[in-house]
Amino acid sequence: MQKQILILIAIAMTCATINAMANPVPSRSASPSQKYTCVMHPDVVMDHPGNCPKCGMKLVPKTDSKPPASNVQHPTSNAENHMGHGGHESHQHDMSMKQMSMQSSVNIADPMNRESSGTSWAPDSTPMYGRMFMFGDDMLMLHGAIFPRYTNVSTRRGDDRIDAPNWFMGMYSHPINDNMQLGGRLMMSLDPLTEGGRGYPLLFQSGESWHDQPLHDRQHPHDLFDELSVSYSQKFDLDLSAYFYFGYPGEPALGPPTFMHRLSAMDDPDAPLGHHWQDSTHVTFGVATAGLQWSCFGGIKIEGSTFTGREPDENRYDFDRPRFDSFSGRLSWNPTQNLALQVSHGYIKGPEALEPDVKRHRTTASAIYNQPLGHDSNWSTSFVWGQNNDSGETTQSFLLETNFQRGRDTVYARWERVEKSGHELVLPDVDLAKIFPINAATVGYVRDLTHGRNVDVGLGAQFTINDFPDRLNRYYGDDFGYAFEFFLRIRPSQHVHLAMEHSDEMK
């Protein structure tokens, strides 16, 4: 009786989209032949200084030097700068370029802004939140988030409490040469300490167990170790590349980016109710994925995984036994800088420890659209559909979520509809086999108290309403189903924004 792994809460945040400065007046002394380009969008080339029309980043002088295809793309080497372009200023420009133009730790052919959870893709224009450290051409990016909060959930199955969902992550990449790269990730959560074994209140949520009993109306905590992975990638020519990813734990090629890695969900402390229909395999003890991708048409990738179907057990501090008894495949396409599409299917053997004989077939599709809106402003929206077929019982989920950020202010919303069985909700035998459509709508607001200075600390609140069939009143009561919470959201600031400030300080 129950469903899958419920999430890591609230990772979020990587490094950076970039918000611009005011357009400078073109210099009269500039060389007529000098061109200017964007470090995030090298296809943008202009004959005068200004801002990138795609992301708003300040344009930089274009050089003719061929950039090395390493983890960080810098247009000229330090030696070339000193010899040919006046030393100090060119060296500063090279360092700012190092900070702002980066590649994915999973595939050397991808821009870092495209990198999301596991091997999934986000739109290329997605802002990233994190702190980056360079060791030569090696890169270390640190991410994380924590949500100290008070939550109050209504109905007979509700609860109220103070807790703090959290996660922390590091991504590392080491270029072997211009066309090969090694990558590594470590992701951890202190949920076992802050949430306890039973997790936090979340009406109509289900999945996993506590004291050998299925959890319901709770979000389970995540393991201490949520990802420990390595990857190897290689470019074969300008259009073709491949990679191999191994995680223990890790995330297979199944579903959209995990909710806490989606910009549209990053300010919402709660997991979606459809998490176990869409992206719940993000903590899997034993994953091997191979992928092949083409840079044509924006970027097309096909990948396959073999992995452990069983979700993490109740011991949140150990490493579960790898089984490699399940498999999945995914097709991803980023047709434009602002859009990421995927379809995937997987076979998951015995996801729940209390139901080892269940054979689950999961199918998902998603579209994520991100629109930079100029200086320090962005709008991200995701649609996700997921279907589970559990040994013949088919249920579906739909999710639409959006996040609009302008300066210190962020407004977000989520709507979802999930079909949950009486078995999933741990109801008595009379309703065990019935399917109940559940609707949930959430709106929230966050105001940053500190913004863009290494760490963003935001004060937020959100309100959720639930719509459910009258037949469930006997279990949940006749009262209106709602939940509200007040929280702090603590995370790193946008990385590229900081790099821009650093670059300006050097000039």
Side-chain angles (χ1 to χ4, degrees), residues 274-297:
H275 177 57
H276 282 225
W277 281 252
Q278 299 162 2
D279 53 7
S280 64
T281 52
H282 69 106
V283 183
T284 298
F285 282 93
V287 178
T289 300
L292 190 65
Q293 71 182 64
W294 297 263
S295 61
C296 54
F297 306 109

Side-chain angles (χ1 to χ4, degrees), residues 220-414:
H220 68 77
H222 292 95
D223 280 36
L224 177 64
F225 290 95
D226 298 312
E227 183 175 12
L228 183 58
S229 65
V230 294
S231 59
Y232 168 81
S233 61
Q234 181 170 348
K235 288 196 296 187
F236 299 106
D237 58 36
L238 293 178
D239 295 323
L240 181 64
S241 63
Y243 67 87
F244 177 78
Y245 167 97
F246 178 83
Y248 181 59
E251 178 179 328
L254 179 60
T258 309
F259 71 92
M260 72 280 285
H261 293 264
R262 296 193 301 262
L263 187 59
S264 57
M266 63 183 249
D267 288 288
D268 189 336
D270 287 336
L273 299 183
H275 177 57
H276 282 225
W277 281 252
Q278 299 162 2
D279 53 7
S280 64
T281 52
H282 69 106
V283 183
T284 298
F285 282 93
V287 178
T289 300
L292 190 65
Q293 71 182 64
W294 297 263
S295 61
C296 54
F297 306 109
I300 298 174
K301 175 175 64 171
I302 185 169
E303 53 189 335
S305 298
T306 178
F307 62 97
T308 300
R310 182 65 48 83
E311 294 180 358
D313 60 25
E314 294 182 17
N315 184 346
R316 301 297 177 180
Y317 298 94
D318 67 350
F319 286 80
D320 300 353
R321 177 171 69 89
R323 303 169 187 263
F324 293 100
D325 52 10
S326 305
F327 56 86
S328 65
R330 179 168 59 195
L331 177 64
S332 302
W333 181 28
N334 281 22
T336 71
Q337 296 280 338
N338 295 340
L339 183 62
L341 308 173
Q342 72 84 31
V343 293
S344 57
H345 180 81
Y347 166 74
I348 308 172
K349 182 178 179 181
E352 298 289 348
L354 299 180
E355 299 176 289
D357 296 330
V358 169
K359 296 177 176 58
R360 172 169 295 163
H361 291 265
R362 174 175 296 167
T363 306
T364 80
S366 64
I368 302 176
Y369 183 77
N370 186 78
Q371 179 62 63
L373 298 174
H375 177 68
D376 202 11
S377 184
N378 193 83
W379 189 9
S380 180
T381 301
S382 299
F383 172 78
V384 183
W385 167 78
Q387 175 182 277
N388 282 342
N389 185 328
D390 289 356
S391 301
E393 179 186 88
T394 299
T395 51
Q396 300 190 63
S397 69
F398 301 87
L399 176 145
L400 181 64
E401 61 190 14
T402 190
N403 179 295
F404 174 75
Q405 174 261 329
R406 182 182 178 87
R408 293 176 178 264
D409 300 299
T410 300
V411 178
Y412 62 89
R414 174 187 289 162

